[in-house]
Amino acid sequence: MTDRPDPLQALNPLDGRYQAVTRELAPWFSEAALIRRRVFLEIEYLLALSNWDQVPDCARLGRRDQEHLRELAARF
């Protein structure tokens, strides 16, 4: 048994026969990278809304809360 996935069972050539040369791109283009970026963007969007007076249903967040949210995104 080998640790390498069977290229014939891959979903596409990038994670199959080209995996060896595309592995370094995974931190930016993998599903996990997409989710990390979404979390970052959603937090930044919430922070922007919280600082905008025209959005009455979104309370202004203090500096400590903003830092905490950004830390959550960084550790995600």
Side-chain angles (χ1 to χ4, degrees), residues 7-27:
L8 296 176
Q9 298 300 317
L11 294 177
N12 64 56
L14 294 178
D15 63 353
R17 66 179 174 262
Y18 300 123
Q19 183 192 27
V21 294
T22 61
R23 183 177 289 124
E24 292 182 20
L25 298 175

Side-chain angles (χ1 to χ4, degrees), residues 43-76:
I43 286 174
E44 289 300 319
Y45 184 57
L46 173 64
L47 294 176
L49 288 176
S50 77
N51 289 321
W52 198 22
D53 294 331
Q54 286 80 3
V55 184
D57 293 334
C58 189
R60 187 172 296 272
L61 296 171
R63 187 176 60 83
R64 181 177 284 168
D65 291 329
Q66 291 179 26
E67 289 172 359
H68 178 71
L69 287 171
R70 285 190 171 119
E71 184 180 321
L72 287 174
R75 288 187 289 132
F76 187 82

